[in-house]
Amino acid sequence: MAIKRKAVRTVESPSAATAAAKAPRPSSTSLDVEVLREIVQLLETSEVTRFSWQRGDERLLICRGPAGPTVVHAAPLGMHAPVPMAAPFAAPAPTPAAAPAPAAAVQKPGQLVTSPFVGTFYRAPAPDQPNFVELGALVKKGQVLCIVEAMKLMNEIESEMAGKVTEVLVENGQAVEFGQALFRIEPV
Amino acid sequence: MNTEALEQTHEELVLSFLVESGEDYASGEVLSGKLGLSRTAVWKVVESLRGKGYRIDAVPARGYRLVSVPDRLSPLELAPLLSTHDLGRTLHYVETLPSTNELAFRLAAEGAGHGEVVLCEQQTAGKGRRGRQWVSPKGKNLALSVILRPELPPQEAPELTLVAAVALAETLREAGGDATIKWPNDVQLGGRKVAGILTELSAEPDRVSFVVLGIGVNLNTRAADLPQELAETATSLAEARGQDVPRALFTAALLTRLESWLDRHAEQGFGPVREAWKRLSSTLGQDVLVRTDRAELRGRAVDIDVSGALLVRREDGTLERVLAGDVEQLRPRKDPLAR
């Protein structure tokens, strides 16, 4: 759910809105479809296989292979898994209610729990104690899932929703990046 | 306000007047005028303070003079000594607690404000890193937790633990100990641990909700009182300077320094903190062994980076960035400021 919301917020961000301003459409996505189509067409007639564009928090990455271009559009940078979108952009503007059928990465239900800072990930309160949660466990909202530590600053990360732990994405003791996904929690 | 609270306020006021007067006598008449109490009532407040361990001289026609304060950390002792704007303005004093961090975290979650301080005379379950215990006998040392609500994105919150280490090491130096910092924030005297800092964070995705800064300092524990397994690796300020430390004064000095470093960090960022940390560090330039839950790393500690992480160069020349772990310094470096 969170991912869909972010994707919508992304395409409505003000930096992209300037591009859309010259051709306003009712309830349009601000990431101008015409501009995108032009870029894609331009790339198709060129030798370019990889096109990356960034402005502020927004990033556009187009990779072309034999099967045609794929477009990844993500924001804010590095905070969430990139959201792949189908191209060309013929579908109407995505809204939370009628988002286009999302690709693999967003197809999984539930919420990703991410790391608040660069640090070390611990699944247990101490090396000789059991893990806070195991794969498949049911968790309550506010239940502690793990600890991330940097410089003896401890952050007990809690689940923001009740649900089931369907993925444990990092091994105990491993270094994690800011925004890296740690768990997936699915509503039951 | 109930009677007990009112009495305490009167005690605090009388004390702060006596502290202000210093070596001079504060006249009973002036005291009663300023407090709006009868001279008999002032005398009763003084008697009650004496009952709590304060030594107060009373000389007819001259007034009252504070001779000594009991070695306690209750608001009565601490509040008159504070010159901070936020830190310690609200004090939660409990004689015995499982852990000051635990209570502070709970208070903060219930809405306690920036700068509120929890302190106690004894922790029964003091917290260390990775589930370890912080052991300290009753009434000898300092255990406090400060609630902070900084305007910071969560990824910058770890910097606060180095801010605290710098403030703590400077306070110890001011009090007569040649303190150095072992990465990230253990404070040592002559290579033995005198203080530890354990910080806990509560954050939303884009901002820090609150930080609980837990500080434990061995002040007046003597080597003879330490359990044998700690005597080799731990020490106290009193042991180092050969004389007991007035704990309330030390606490007030620490909160003042901490506040001034927090202000500097808020205004100028991590740069000045990093410079001060490097000056006080005993880790940099050392061969170190870093132990984590998973692995060990050997190399030379060469620097800390712009976020406070330790940079360790392995023998093969590769540089490792350490964010968490126990650092053992294999060859103690001479303290440049000692001897």
Side-chain angles (χ1 to χ4, degrees):
Chain A
M1 282 303 145
I3 287 170
K4 278 185 196 165
R5 262 206 313 278
K6 296 293 182 196
V8 170
R9 198 183 66 191
T10 297
V11 294
E12 284 173 356
S13 80
S15 56
T18 50
K22 58 184 178 187
R25 284 183 296 272
S27 79
S28 154
T29 162
S30 61
L31 187 68
D32 195 293
V33 172
E34 288 306 316
V35 171
L36 255 177
R37 184 174 290 148
E38 273 176 40
I39 293 172
V40 170
Q41 277 168 1
L42 214 69
L43 293 178
E44 277 176 339
T45 60
S46 78
E47 299 288 298
V48 175
T49 56
R50 195 181 156 86
F51 172 83
S52 137
W53 172 87
Q54 187 184 333
R55 184 151 90 193
D57 281 342
E58 273 196 306
R59 188 176 60 154
L60 180 70
L61 174 66
I62 304 178
C63 299
R64 294 175 62 223
T70 59
V71 181
V72 174
H73 184 217
L77 196 59
M79 278 198 53
H80 302 275
V83 183
M85 290 180 171
F89 276 47
T95 64
V106 284
Q107 223 156 25
K108 290 185 185 170
Q111 198 171 47
L112 286 175
V113 179
T114 59
S115 177
F117 48 75
V118 177
T120 300
F121 168 85
Y122 301 114
R123 291 193 58 189
D128 56 356
Q129 285 179 32
N131 290 344
F132 288 108
V133 290
E134 298 294 345
L135 185 66
L138 294 176
V139 293
K140 291 181 218 138
K141 182 175 191 282
Q143 185 171 337
V144 176
L145 303 171
C146 64
I147 291 175
V148 175
E149 174 191 10
M151 277 78 87
K152 274 171 79 183
L153 173 96
M154 304 289 171
N155 188 195
E156 287 190 348
I157 296 175
E158 299 171 355
S159 180
E160 283 176 30
M161 58 187 273
K164 186 175 174 182
V165 181
T166 55
E167 281 186 85
V168 181
L169 298 158
V170 182
E171 266 182 66
N172 181 55
Q174 202 175 311
V176 291
E177 292 300 318
F178 166 60
Q180 184 174 341
L182 309 172
F183 295 93
R184 180 183 294 281
I185 309 292
E186 284 179 23
V188 188
Chain B
M1 193 180 275
N2 60 36
T3 328
E4 202 178 309
L6 195 65
E7 272 169 15
Q8 170 148 359
T9 313
H10 286 151
E11 288 173 359
E12 278 174 27
L13 286 169
V14 167
L15 267 179
S16 62
F17 278 121
L18 293 179
V19 168
E20 217 171 277
S21 307
E23 294 293 300
D24 297 331
Y25 283 83
S27 96
E29 198 175 333
V30 171
L31 274 175
S32 76
K34 289 203 172 173
L35 295 174
L37 292 173
S38 71
R39 294 186 63 170
T40 315
V42 170
W43 177 80
K44 276 186 181 161
V45 173
V46 167
E47 276 304 296
S48 154
L49 284 168
R50 283 175 168 163
K52 288 178 173 159
Y54 287 84
R55 281 184 53 211
I56 298 170
D57 251 6
V59 176
R62 293 182 75 184
Y64 301 103
R65 186 174 69 99
L66 185 60
V67 180
S68 73
V69 301
D71 185 36
R72 247 197 336 240
L73 295 173
S74 82
L76 213 50
E77 290 78 39
L78 196 48
L81 302 173
L82 287 175
S83 57
T84 48
H85 48 81
D86 293 323
L87 262 52
R89 287 286 139 199
T90 301
L91 293 165
H92 304 268
Y93 173 78
V94 187
E95 225 175 70
T96 300
L97 272 179
S99 137
T100 56
N101 259 31
E102 197 182 276
L103 176 58
F105 201 92
R106 205 169 65 224
L107 291 170
E110 289 165 4
H114 176 77
E116 296 194 18
V117 167
V118 174
L119 67 178
C120 72
E121 303 291 351
Q122 185 179 32
Q123 294 188 106
T124 53
K127 284 193 200 175
R129 199 181 153 263
R130 302 295 298 129
R132 282 172 221 152
Q133 281 231 330
W134 179 264
V135 187
S136 170
K138 184 171 183 174
K140 292 276 185 185
N141 298 322
L142 173 60
L144 65 78
S145 295
V146 187
I147 296 166
L148 301 175
R149 294 188 182 275
E151 298 282 332
L152 275 183
Q155 61 270 32
E156 286 170 25
E159 294 172 7
L160 295 174
T161 74
L162 278 72
V163 171
V166 166
L168 185 48
E170 285 187 351
T171 310
L172 284 160
R173 281 184 177 266
E174 189 185 38
D178 293 316
T180 54
I181 305 171
K182 181 168 81 92
W183 186 90
N185 56 20
D186 277 356
V187 181
Q188 300 186 319
L189 293 173
R192 291 178 183 187
K193 184 158 173 167
V194 69
I197 299 168
L198 186 78
T199 310
E200 295 180 78
L201 168 75
S202 171
E204 292 164 31
D206 55 345
R207 56 179 277 274
V208 168
S209 161
F210 61 83
V211 166
V212 170
L213 200 58
I215 300 177
V217 191
N218 293 334
L219 290 179
N220 292 331
T221 297
R222 291 310 184 115
D225 307 329
L226 284 170
Q228 204 166 2
E229 69 269 20
L230 288 179
E232 292 274 298
T233 54
T235 189
S236 71
L237 180 57
E239 196 64 37
R241 62 176 215 163
Q243 131 186 43
D244 273 5
V245 183
R247 294 186 305 144
L249 271 176
F250 182 90
T251 308
L254 173 61
L255 290 175
T256 303
R257 277 211 188 249
L258 181 59
E259 186 166 83
S260 110
W261 272 108
L262 287 166
D263 287 350
R264 201 175 307 176
H265 179 253
E267 284 156 20
Q268 299 171 38
F270 188 59
V273 179
R274 178 168 175 250
E275 288 314 307
W277 189 97
K278 286 170 74 165
R279 268 200 312 277
L280 291 161
S281 161
S282 62
T283 306
L284 299 185
Q286 293 292 304
D287 286 335
V288 293
L289 172 62
V290 186
R291 288 193 187 86
T292 68
D293 277 17
R294 275 157 71 98
E296 289 189 354
L297 164 70
R298 269 171 201 275
R300 172 76 50 91
V302 289
D303 204 352
I304 53 167
D305 72 6
V306 291
S307 61
L310 184 66
L311 301 176
V312 176
R313 192 176 302 285
R314 290 182 194 268
E315 247 174 39
D316 65 9
T318 53
L319 203 60
E320 291 279 341
R321 187 164 177 255
V322 180
L323 289 155
D326 291 317
V327 172
E328 186 184 330
Q329 299 177 180
L330 300 175
R331 249 186 301 130
R333 188 179 71 164
K334 284 202 187 95
D335 181 354
L337 301 176
R339 277 187 287 277

